[in-house]
């Protein structure tokens, strides 16, 4: 009943009939039946068919059709509004004419009408996003009710999630539309403020200061190594060390990070963050490695505001003081005293620390927060030391574990303690086999996060854009470990889910050609939106329309240009890069977890310089054949003298050796058969039959060649196995020679015998006498009958 009430409160009245009919679906499930006996016999295939048809073919299609049509109408209304405002645009460098100044009354009226239309479009865009989210949750809730109550024979949730992933209503990107609306709002404000000649610049609005754009992706395990090697060509690996952070050495492992998230029994922090509330805060504890190794524990609070600005409070806290700090009994007095002794009583750092402590404790007290979720993962960080233009992190082995005590009868964590002792005292590691079922959720993919500093050179970003556009990664904007863990493990406690859940039931691997075409479509749509925004940003005249790539991306070769670009990038970084951050910043880099400015590639302003060659990511022979030019490694990375596959002792499965020996024995078998045939033929020929003796010699030569070829190939293939050679093991030359020689010898043998038989018949005397018994013919040689 709780979700049904939430749905009722979320309905936008003008669209009331377009929402999912949750009540009807419950009636089809007969959920209100009081009798639970013989449910399997009562629920028939007709009932199942009626429910599935209503859920998938009626309700889902209704919601999807309305969302698609409404979004198209909003885009059309936005384009119409742009057309009206374009008439009021004053070209850059040109002053308003006298006639235009006299018509200010009509201009103000047009601006007011446009502003009202923009307000209406913005409101409906916001309502459409809420419409999509609440209906998405409704479909998942209905499927869960079905599988729980009627799922003994039929389970429809996997089918529904695959269907949801194929529809755009739960994955529509509203950012391009919002950017266009923002540009028109800025233009209208400028006109109404009496500054018609000034055009707003994206650089002024967004690129001021040293800020980053964050891009998030999922990586399938089969593509993980290929993604790593692609990044390693340009960025070295950095790893966290408790004493220092430095370039990774062979003996060091990637660090394991644990984040402990807080929320209350109502999951208000989860709801605010998922619904993108004007102010959404989160609180967590974070440490590296195992807790029994006494690592440094950081307490972090992040607050995201409506314009994507974020505030962060962070300070270290000892393990023994965490529970008393959460209860409000401890205020880090010792840490404050030490800082006051070093900085002075009136130091700004002391006041800031005291303010942060009070703010976090007030936040915990007012929201009744407690630890509810643990995220454990392994992080690999990439960055050139001293160059923070591009920072990349790759998280693998992500495990999400319940850390709550909501169930009084069976709590996951002791309510009087701040963490699970069964995990930390026993130093459990991935895959956490000792954690009870239902308390653990393993994420099936790796998480790739790319942070690009605003203002970085376009050439620096080209290889990053190529990676983000490839078939190796799947973009998931605003993915959050916290949101995903709550949605997976506390499904019964929340009434809304993130959109990316439906993608978990689909195969995220993509064909390179398909990914190329999808990227071309995205770029065309992006160019259209940017062209529209440019008319109000004062840059429309300089923008060029999008030109789609011609032909298959596999048929081109960009690696030579890529190598040149890499060389230029490295030379530029060595000459001009100013050290902004060291390896320590990346090794302990914040896990943004959906916070901060999330870059949506459809909203970026770079439309050129992207290469669409996905074959360059492949390790196949076909792709390697198209790679040219020497790879220029970044500073701190050296070329290995030996490939990874060639390192270590030679370990070959016995079946590989036995297959080589089996082929050798086959050749010897053929050789012995031919040798026996030639020997028998030679002995039976006699001294006067030179043809048979000659053919016997030919068969002997073929037998010797077969034996020698088999021995030669056995030695060659054994050497290839020992050297781990990637060359082809097959060689058709020997079998072709043996087969052709045998065919020729057999044809000659047949020809010679046939010719000898004809000659013998022509030279023999004729005998023909008929007599004896009637009906029989007896041939008697004529011996001088007279």
């Amino acid at each position: 009943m709780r979700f049904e009430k939430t749905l009722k409160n979320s309905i936008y009245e003008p669209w009331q009939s377009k929402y999912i009919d949750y009540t009807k679906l419950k009636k089809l499930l007969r959920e209100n039946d009081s009798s639970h006996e013989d449910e399997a016999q009562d629920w028939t295939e007709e009932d199942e068919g009626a429910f599935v048809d209503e859920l998938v073919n009626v309700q889902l299609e209704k919601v999807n059709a309305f969302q698609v049509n409404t979004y198209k109408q909003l885009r059309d209304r936005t384009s119409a509004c742009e057309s009206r405002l374009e008439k009021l645009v004053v070209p850059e460098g040109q002053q308003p004419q006298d006639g235009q100044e006299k018509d200010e009354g009509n201009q103000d009226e047009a601006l007011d009408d446009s502003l009202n239309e923009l307000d209406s479009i913005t409101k409906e865009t916001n309502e459409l996003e809420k419409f999509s989210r609440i209906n998405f949750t409704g479909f998942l809730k209905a499927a869960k009710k079905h599988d729980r109550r009627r799922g003994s024979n039929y389970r429809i949730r996997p089918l529904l999630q695959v269907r949801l992933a194929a529809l755009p209503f739960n994955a529509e990107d509203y950012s391009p539309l919002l950017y266009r609306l923002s540009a028109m709002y800025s233009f209208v404000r400028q006109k109404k403020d009496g500054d018609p000649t000034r055009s707003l610049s994206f650089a002024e609005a967004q690129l001021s200061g040293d800020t980053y754009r964050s891009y998030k992706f999922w990586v399938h395990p089969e593509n993980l190594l290929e993604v790593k090697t692609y990044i390693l060509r340009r960025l070295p690996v950095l790893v966290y060390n408790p004493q220092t952070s430095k370039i990774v050495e062979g003996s060091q492992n990637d660090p394991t990070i644990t984040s402990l998230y807080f929320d209350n029994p109502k999951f208000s922090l989860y709801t605010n963050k998922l619904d993108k509330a004007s102010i959404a805060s989160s609180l967590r504890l974070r440490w590296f490695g195992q807790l029994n190794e006494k690592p440094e524990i950081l307490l972090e609070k992040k607050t995201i505001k409506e314009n994507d600005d974020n505030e962060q409070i962070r300070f270290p806290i000892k393990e023994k003081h965490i529970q008393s700090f959460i209860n409000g009994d401890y205020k880090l007095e010792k840490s404050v005293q030490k800082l006051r002794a070093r900085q002075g009583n009136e130091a700004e750092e002391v006041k800031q620390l005291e303010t942060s402590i009070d703010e976090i404790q007030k936040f915990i007290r007012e929201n009744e927060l407690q630890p509810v979720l643990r995220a454990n993962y392994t992080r690999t960080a990439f960055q050139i030391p001293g160059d923070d233009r591009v920072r990349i992190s790759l998280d693998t082995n992500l495990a999400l574990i319940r850390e709550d005590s909501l169930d009084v009868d069976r709590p996951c964590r002791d309510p009087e303690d701040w963490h699970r002792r069964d995990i930390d005292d026993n130093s459990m590691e991935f895959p956490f086999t000792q954690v009870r079922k239902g308390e653990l959720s393993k994420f099936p993919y790796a998480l790739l996060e790319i942070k690009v500093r605003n203002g970085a050179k376009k050439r620096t970003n080209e290889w990053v854009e190529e990676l983000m556009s490839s078939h190796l990664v799947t973009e998931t904007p605003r993915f959050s470990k916290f949101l995903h863990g709550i949605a997976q493990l506390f499904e019964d406690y929340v009434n809304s889910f993130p959109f990316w859940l439906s993608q978990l039931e689909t195969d995220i691997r993509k064909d390179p050609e398909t990914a190329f075409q999808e990227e071309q479509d995205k770029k065309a749509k992006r160019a259209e939106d940017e062209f529209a925004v440019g008319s109000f940003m004062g840059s429309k005249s300089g923008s060029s329309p999008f030109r789609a790539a011609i032909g298959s991306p596999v048929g081109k070769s960009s690696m030579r240009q890529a190598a040149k670009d890499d060389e230029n990038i490295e030379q530029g970084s060595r000459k001009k890069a100013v050290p902004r951050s060291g390896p320590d910043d990346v090794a302990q880099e914040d896990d943004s977890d959906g916070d901060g400015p999330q870059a949506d590639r459809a909203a970026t302003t770079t439309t050129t310089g992207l290469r669409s060659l996905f074959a360059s990511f492949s390790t196949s022979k076909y792709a390697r054949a198209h790679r040219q030019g020497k790879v220029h490694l970044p500073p701190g990375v050296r070329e290995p003298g030996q490939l990874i596959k060639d390192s270590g002792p030679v370990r070959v499965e016995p079946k590989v050796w036995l297959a080589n020996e089996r082929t050798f024995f086959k050749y010897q078998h053929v050789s012995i058969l031919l040798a026996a045939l030639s020997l028998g033929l030679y002995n039976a020929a006699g001294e006067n039959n030179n043809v048979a003796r000659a053919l016997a010699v030919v068969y002997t030569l073929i037998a010797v060649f077969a034996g020698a070829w088999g021995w030669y190939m056995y030695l060659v293939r054994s050497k290839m196995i020992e050297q781990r050679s990637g060359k082809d093991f097959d060689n058709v030359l020997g079998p072709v020679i043996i087969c052709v020689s045998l065919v020729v010898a057999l044809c000659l043998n047949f020809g010679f015998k046939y010719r000898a038989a004809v000659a013998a018949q022509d030279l023999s005397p004729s005998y023909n006498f008929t007599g004896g018994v009637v009906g029989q013919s007896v041939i008697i040689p004529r011996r001088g009958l007279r």
Side-chain angles (χ1 to χ4, degrees):
M1 293 297 293
R2 190 167 58 152
F3 175 74
E4 195 168 8
K5 183 178 180 181
T6 302
L7 176 62
K8 184 178 180 180
N9 296 333
S10 303
I11 289 179
Y12 181 52
E13 288 299 329
W15 301 343
Q16 184 173 5
S17 61
K18 305 300 180 181
Y19 285 78
I20 180 175
D21 194 342
Y22 196 72
T23 304
K24 184 176 182 180
L25 292 174
K26 289 177 61 177
K27 289 181 179 178
L28 289 175
L29 278 177
R30 298 196 298 239
E31 188 184 22
N32 296 327
D33 291 351
S34 58
S35 175
H36 294 278
E37 298 179 359
D38 299 330
E39 285 189 352
Q41 289 77 5
D42 294 341
W43 187 256
T44 63
E45 292 187 3
E46 289 76 11
D47 297 330
E48 180 72 20
F51 178 81
V52 173
D53 181 72
E54 180 67 26
L55 179 68
V56 178
N57 297 332
V58 178
Q59 299 296 329
L60 184 57
E61 291 299 329
K62 177 185 69 174
V63 171
N64 179 65
F66 176 76
Q67 195 277 340
V68 171
N69 293 333
T70 305
Y71 186 68
K72 183 178 182 301
Q73 292 173 7
L74 291 174
R75 288 181 62 90
D76 293 341
R77 291 170 60 187
T78 303
S79 300
C81 192
E82 288 171 343
S83 300
R84 291 195 298 269
L85 292 177
E86 279 180 356
K87 300 176 182 179
L88 306 178
V89 175
V90 178
E92 187 174 359
Q94 180 178 341
Q95 297 297 327
Q97 300 178 2
D98 296 338
Q100 294 176 342
E101 293 178 352
K102 294 179 181 179
D103 199 19
E104 290 184 357
N106 295 335
Q107 177 175 299
D108 291 341
E109 183 179 354
L111 290 175
D112 292 337
D113 293 340
S114 299
L115 188 60
N116 293 333
E117 178 68 6
L118 289 176
D119 291 339
S120 176
I121 295 174
T122 303
K123 179 182 179 181
E124 291 194 9
T125 302
N126 186 37
E127 293 295 339
L128 185 60
E129 195 274 339
K130 295 179 181 179
F131 172 88
S132 301
R133 185 177 303 279
I134 194 66
N135 281 284
F136 176 77
T137 304
F139 286 116
L140 293 183
K141 288 282 187 180
K144 181 183 177 182
K145 280 185 178 295
H146 169 275
D147 292 349
R148 177 179 296 176
R149 188 174 180 86
R150 309 294 184 182
S152 57
N153 298 323
Y154 309 97
R155 299 186 66 85
I156 66 169
R157 181 160 181 170
L159 171 66
L160 179 65
Q161 288 187 324
V162 172
R163 181 65 178 143
L164 286 172
L167 297 177
F169 91 89
N170 67 317
E172 189 66 66
D173 180 21
Y174 299 94
S175 298
L177 183 60
L178 295 179
Y179 271 81
R180 296 171 65 181
L181 295 173
S182 175
M184 287 188 284
Y185 270 119
S186 300
F187 176 78
V188 171
R189 284 196 300 268
Q190 291 172 11
K191 284 290 186 179
K192 293 179 74 67
D193 293 342
D195 188 12
T197 60
R198 180 179 181 273
S199 61
L200 181 66
S201 171
F202 271 131
E204 297 176 51
Q206 299 176 4
L207 301 183
S208 59
D210 193 16
T211 58
Y212 288 84
R213 281 288 176 183
S214 176
Y215 305 85
K216 295 187 177 183
F217 303 88
W218 291 352
V219 181
H220 194 278
E222 293 184 3
N223 298 329
L224 184 59
L225 182 60
E226 202 162 353
V227 170
K228 283 186 177 181
T229 54
Y230 179 80
I231 299 174
L232 281 173
R233 290 184 56 233
R234 295 157 179 88
L235 299 179
V237 177
L238 300 179
V239 69
Y240 172 75
N241 186 285
Q243 286 75 33
T244 181
S245 297
K246 56 185 178 180
I247 297 176
V248 64
E249 298 177 355
S251 60
Q252 293 176 308
N253 296 322
D254 292 330
T256 299
I257 302 177
T258 301
S259 296
L260 206 63
Y261 295 95
F262 287 70
D263 211 331
N264 51 42
K266 296 181 180 180
F267 291 95
S268 57
L269 300 188
Y270 166 87
T271 304
N272 292 338
K273 190 172 183 178
L274 184 62
D275 294 341
K276 301 178 184 177
S278 57
I279 297 179
S281 300
S282 61
L283 183 67
R284 70 178 177 184
L285 292 164
R286 189 162 70 107
W287 66 87
F288 288 79
Q290 295 292 339
L291 195 60
N292 55 16
E293 297 174 357
K294 305 299 181 183
E296 182 184 43
I297 302 176
L298 296 176
L299 181 61
E300 301 173 343
K301 180 197 174 188
K302 291 185 180 181
T303 302
I304 308 299
K305 298 183 179 179
E306 193 170 6
N307 57 353
D308 268 350
D309 292 337
N310 66 89
E311 296 179 355
Q312 179 171 324
I313 300 175
R314 175 200 294 176
F315 52 81
I317 184 172
K318 292 185 179 180
E319 177 185 353
K320 60 182 179 180
H321 298 315
I322 293 178
Q323 187 60 44
S324 58
F325 180 86
I326 295 175
N327 296 335
D329 302 329
Y330 180 69
K331 295 183 177 294
L332 274 72
E333 288 86 355
K334 293 184 179 180
S335 299
V336 174
Q337 290 176 1
K338 291 180 181 179
L339 185 61
R340 185 178 287 113
R342 291 195 304 264
Q343 303 289 341
N345 293 332
E346 303 299 328
E348 184 66 27
E349 291 81 359
V350 176
K351 296 180 180 179
Q352 185 176 359
L353 178 58
E354 292 177 338
T355 302
S356 300
I357 294 173
D358 293 338
E359 182 178 342
I360 290 183
Q361 287 190 331
K362 180 181 178 182
F363 181 66
I364 294 175
R365 184 174 60 256
E366 290 180 350
N367 292 277
E368 301 179 354
L369 300 181
Q370 59 175 286
V372 295
L373 179 70
R374 176 189 296 245
N376 183 274
Y377 50 94
T378 302
R379 166 160 293 183
T380 306
F382 304 87
Q383 182 189 342
I384 298 176
D387 185 358
D388 62 349
R389 289 175 293 177
V390 180
R391 312 164 85 175
I392 298 179
S393 63
L394 186 63
D395 297 340
T396 55
N397 297 337
L398 173 59
L400 302 163
I401 306 172
R402 289 185 61 165
E403 198 89 9
D404 64 286
S405 57
L406 300 178
D407 189 348
V408 180
D409 298 330
R410 194 183 181 187
C412 301
R413 168 185 54 84
D414 184 358
E416 302 300 325
D417 205 349
W418 64 273
H419 67 111
R420 291 184 59 161
R421 294 285 180 180
D422 59 330
I423 295 179
D424 294 323
D425 292 349
N426 297 320
S427 300
M428 290 189 190
E429 296 180 345
F430 188 87
F432 298 97
T433 54
Q434 300 178 19
V435 177
R436 293 175 296 193
K437 185 178 179 181
E439 299 177 3
L440 172 67
S441 175
K442 298 176 186 176
F443 191 70
Y445 308 120
L447 300 176
L448 177 69
E449 182 173 9
I450 302 176
K451 291 185 177 180
V452 181
R453 193 179 73 222
N454 288 332
K457 293 182 179 179
K458 183 183 73 173
R459 184 170 292 174
T460 304
N461 298 340
E462 282 187 359
W463 69 269
V464 178
E465 287 285 349
E466 186 173 351
L467 175 62
M468 294 190 297
S469 304
S470 74
H471 66 286
L472 299 175
V473 297
T474 300
E475 188 175 11
T476 52
R478 292 190 176 274
F479 176 83
S480 167
K481 301 181 184 72
F482 171 61
L483 296 182
H484 185 78
I486 297 296
Q488 289 287 88
L489 297 173
F490 298 90
E491 188 176 10
D492 294 335
Y493 293 84
V494 295
N495 290 322
S496 57
F497 300 114
F499 283 149
W500 60 75
L501 286 185
S502 59
Q503 298 184 29
L504 295 178
E505 300 295 332
T506 62
D507 190 353
I508 65 172
R509 290 171 295 181
K510 296 180 288 186
D511 178 72
E513 290 283 354
T514 304
F516 168 78
Q517 187 60 45
E518 290 177 354
E519 184 63 23
Q520 292 295 304
D521 296 340
K522 288 181 181 179
K523 283 197 255 185
K525 185 177 179 181
R526 186 188 316 163
E528 177 186 351
D529 294 331
E530 289 176 354
F531 189 74
V533 172
S535 62
F536 305 104
M537 294 299 178
S539 61
K540 180 174 180 178
S541 59
S543 60
S544 59
F546 169 74
R547 296 181 180 179
I550 300 175
S552 170
V554 182
K556 305 176 184 177
S557 177
S558 68
M559 294 311 297
R560 181 177 299 176
Q561 181 64 32
K564 293 180 181 178
D565 293 344
D566 294 340
E567 182 179 5
N568 295 333
I569 291 171
E570 298 309 324
Q571 291 176 354
S573 64
R574 288 193 291 268
K575 293 179 181 178
K576 301 180 181 180
V578 178
R580 294 177 178 268
S581 64
D584 189 64
D585 294 331
V586 175
Q588 300 194 54
E589 182 176 345
D590 294 343
D591 179 10
S592 61
D593 200 37
D595 299 335
Q598 296 292 307
D600 185 357
R601 293 196 300 118
T604 61
T605 58
T606 301
T607 59
T608 60
L610 301 181
R611 293 191 299 273
S612 308
L613 275 180
F614 306 126
S616 60
F617 296 100
S618 177
T619 56
S620 65
K621 294 180 180 179
Y622 175 77
R624 290 200 302 267
H626 287 74
R627 297 178 182 176
Q628 301 178 6
K630 183 179 179 181
V631 177
H632 296 270
L633 300 176
V637 179
R638 61 181 178 83
E639 182 179 358
Q642 191 179 28
L643 298 177
I644 296 177
K645 70 180 184 66
D646 295 336
S647 61
V650 179
R651 297 176 181 176
V652 182
E653 295 185 10
K655 64 180 182 180
V656 179
W657 295 106
L658 295 178
N660 190 26
E661 292 180 357
R662 197 160 49 245
T663 305
F664 170 68
F665 292 151
K666 288 292 185 180
Y667 274 110
Q668 302 311 307
H669 181 67
V670 172
S671 177
I672 292 173
L673 286 178
L674 290 176
L677 175 63
S678 61
L679 182 61
L681 182 61
Y682 188 86
N683 292 333
E687 297 181 358
N688 298 326
N689 195 343
N690 294 328
V691 175
R693 294 164 68 93
L695 290 173
V697 173
V698 171
Y699 287 128
T700 302
L701 294 176
I702 297 175
V704 171
F705 177 81
W709 180 265
W711 173 246
Y712 167 74
M713 291 306 301
Y714 174 75
L715 296 178
V716 170
R717 287 166 179 161
S718 297
K719 186 177 180 180
M720 293 173 66
I721 294 173
E722 292 175 356
Q723 295 179 349
R724 300 186 178 95
S725 175
K727 299 179 181 179
D728 293 332
F729 277 69
D730 57 329
N731 193 328
V732 298
L733 180 61
V736 169
I737 293 177
I738 295 174
C739 292
V740 171
S741 301
L742 282 176
V743 170
V744 172
L746 290 174
C747 292
L748 291 176
N749 192 356
F750 177 78
F752 288 142
K753 294 299 293 181
Y754 180 78
R755 181 179 177 183
V758 172
Q761 185 176 1
D762 292 340
L763 295 177
S764 62
S766 178
Y767 303 94
N768 191 2
F769 175 77
T770 303
V773 184
V774 178
Q776 294 182 349
S777 297
V778 179
I779 300 176
I780 301 175
R782 295 181 294 175
R783 299 181 182 275
L785 294 179
R786 292 182 175 87

